[in-house]
Amino acid sequence: MPPFIADPCAQHVPGRDDYPAYDAMIASPELPCGAAWLGSCLLEVGIPLWKPWGIDDSTHWMHLGGRRWQYQFPGSAWSRLVPGLVHGRTFNLRGRPVPQFTHAWPGQLPMPERLVLFIRDPRDALHSDWRRRLRLGHNESPHLHDYLTRPSPGIGLPPPEWLARFMSAWHVASKSVPTLVIRFEDAKERPRETLNATLHFLGLRVPARALANAVRASSHSRIVEAERQLLADGIVPFALIGPGRPHAHRSLPGDEQVPLDRHLAEAAANYAYPAPPVEAEARCTPGATNILLAKLLPGSARPDILEHCLRSQEPG
């Protein structure tokens, strides 16, 4: 896997001569939430996918002249997230829009002209992340309760609290820029309509056939097949892709249910997720805002935005 671009300044621009700037941002939490599906769909209709999620892909593309680019990455594991990224494939890429896919917090990167927030029901996102970490061997304990209550390495907060603050911070920040919210569940149940709404928001119209082809090329079955081939070829050592079911928490056994405390329930409600009665008292880590600021602010483009968003979520 190519390296992550640690310096935020290196992520402010696409890094291509013909693409001097991003004109949209597609932000999502760093949990399994389906944003790669949108990246795949956009690429299939000719929208470039430069530096996806802060990864240095400068050596992956050969410019053939004009808007023609060829993907060159033998043995790329990216195809289990974006099936169209196949070595040797040539793309005719548009000049606009130029979206920036990121897991950044508001204030870490310059605010865009247009913002797309890709969000999943936090119960499913957290459960899926726990299951993925089990498959990867990253969990210190196999128990969901331990995953939900122990601080995440590198962040210092339990995953539910971190996710609640991420969702709330972007909800606040989105009030300052034209924003489209895409929910994982809508993308799964109405993929063509969701993609069409996204393209309209980004200022692009494409024929119905192109929409259908993009959705088909980005389907979960295509992703599963791509991963199966990568596993068979020995390119990746483990399975990463889960079942990708919307509303999965409704059918989970009791010991795999993710409870919603007050802060997570409020964050979910901001994105029109109907929350059941709060199942536990809010457990807000003392000094959580200071912990996040210390982790996220170095090198941030607008630390004042991030600090405002985070502090507005402190328990009162």
Side-chain angles (χ1 to χ4, degrees), residues 86-102:
V86 177
H87 175 63
R89 181 178 175 185
T90 298
F91 294 84
N92 292 312
L93 298 180
R94 303 173 186 269
R96 288 177 64 93
V98 189
Q100 179 179 29
F101 278 79
T102 183

Side-chain angles (χ1 to χ4, degrees), residues 181-198:
V181 173
I182 299 178
R183 304 193 313 169
F184 170 90
E185 296 75 18
D186 299 327
K188 284 289 185 178
E189 295 166 353
R190 296 177 294 278
R192 192 181 307 186
E193 293 84 348
T194 301
L195 175 58
N196 193 41
T198 305

Side-chain angles (χ1 to χ4, degrees), residues 130-195:
W130 171 64
R131 297 295 302 178
R132 175 177 290 183
R133 293 179 65 83
L134 283 179
R135 292 195 298 272
L136 301 183
H138 289 176
N139 284 349
E140 295 180 2
S141 167
H143 302 294
L144 175 64
H145 177 267
D146 292 335
Y147 162 81
L148 294 174
T149 56
R150 291 178 178 176
S152 299
I155 295 296
L157 298 177
E161 186 175 342
W162 173 90
L163 178 57
R165 289 174 175 274
F166 182 93
M167 295 173 68
S168 296
W170 270 117
H171 176 69
V172 173
S174 68
K175 299 180 186 300
S176 65
V177 64
T179 301
L180 173 69
V181 173
I182 299 178
R183 304 193 313 169
F184 170 90
E185 296 75 18
D186 299 327
K188 284 289 185 178
E189 295 166 353
R190 296 177 294 278
R192 192 181 307 186
E193 293 84 348
T194 301
L195 175 58

Side-chain angles (χ1 to χ4, degrees), residues 2-302:
F4 172 78
I5 305 173
D7 180 3
C9 293
Q11 302 183 43
H12 291 175
V13 294
R16 304 301 195 283
D17 290 341
D18 289 355
Y19 296 89
Y22 294 110
D23 54 35
M25 178 181 289
I26 300 175
S28 62
E30 198 170 359
L31 295 171
C33 64
W37 168 84
L38 182 58
S40 174
C41 288
L42 297 185
L43 184 63
E44 290 296 331
V45 297
I47 296 176
L49 190 62
W50 302 136
K51 295 182 182 177
W53 299 281
I55 297 297
D56 184 1
D57 66 344
S58 57
T59 62
H60 298 183
W61 294 90
M62 174 180 288
H63 191 195
L64 303 180
R67 295 297 180 187
R68 297 178 66 248
W69 294 78
Q70 186 176 81
Y71 187 70
Q72 295 192 345
F73 189 3
S76 171
W78 276 104
S79 60
R80 67 173 163 185
L81 296 176
V82 182
L85 290 178
V86 177
H87 175 63
R89 181 178 175 185
T90 298
F91 294 84
N92 292 312
L93 298 180
R94 303 173 186 269
R96 288 177 64 93
V98 189
Q100 179 179 29
F101 278 79
T102 183
H103 297 313
W105 289 63
Q108 286 190 286
L109 296 170
M111 287 295 282
E113 300 174 17
R114 289 164 291 185
L115 172 66
V116 177
L117 295 178
F118 203 110
I119 299 295
R120 186 178 186 180
D121 188 306
R123 289 162 287 198
D124 289 334
L126 289 164
H127 181 269
S128 183
D129 186 55
W130 171 64
R131 297 295 302 178
R132 175 177 290 183
R133 293 179 65 83
L134 283 179
R135 292 195 298 272
L136 301 183
H138 289 176
N139 284 349
E140 295 180 2
S141 167
H143 302 294
L144 175 64
H145 177 267
D146 292 335
Y147 162 81
L148 294 174
T149 56
R150 291 178 178 176
S152 299
I155 295 296
L157 298 177
E161 186 175 342
W162 173 90
L163 178 57
R165 289 174 175 274
F166 182 93
M167 295 173 68
S168 296
W170 270 117
H171 176 69
V172 173
S174 68
K175 299 180 186 300
S176 65
V177 64
T179 301
L180 173 69
V181 173
I182 299 178
R183 304 193 313 169
F184 170 90
E185 296 75 18
D186 299 327
K188 284 289 185 178
E189 295 166 353
R190 296 177 294 278
R192 192 181 307 186
E193 293 84 348
T194 301
L195 175 58
N196 193 41
T198 305
L199 294 173
H200 277 237
F201 178 74
L202 296 176
L204 190 63
R205 306 289 189 271
V206 300
R209 178 176 295 181
L211 282 175
N213 289 340
V215 168
R216 187 181 307 111
S218 307
S219 66
H220 188 263
S221 61
R222 289 288 298 273
I223 293 172
V224 169
E225 178 55 36
E227 181 175 70
R228 185 179 296 116
Q229 189 61 53
L230 292 170
L231 288 166
D233 293 342
I235 294 174
V236 297
F238 46 75
L240 183 68
I241 305 303
R245 293 191 300 269
H247 314 295
H249 67 275
R250 297 176 181 173
S251 59
L252 291 173
D255 61 352
E256 292 192 14
Q257 291 285 342
V258 174
L260 288 180
D261 66 19
R262 178 168 62 86
H263 291 283
L264 195 54
E266 290 174 356
N270 289 333
Y271 298 91
Y273 286 110
V278 176
E279 302 173 31
E281 289 298 318
R283 296 179 299 275
C284 191
T285 304
T289 292
N290 291 335
I291 292 173
L292 281 171
L293 290 174
K295 296 290 184 182
L296 300 173
L297 285 182
S300 293
R302 288 293 303 278

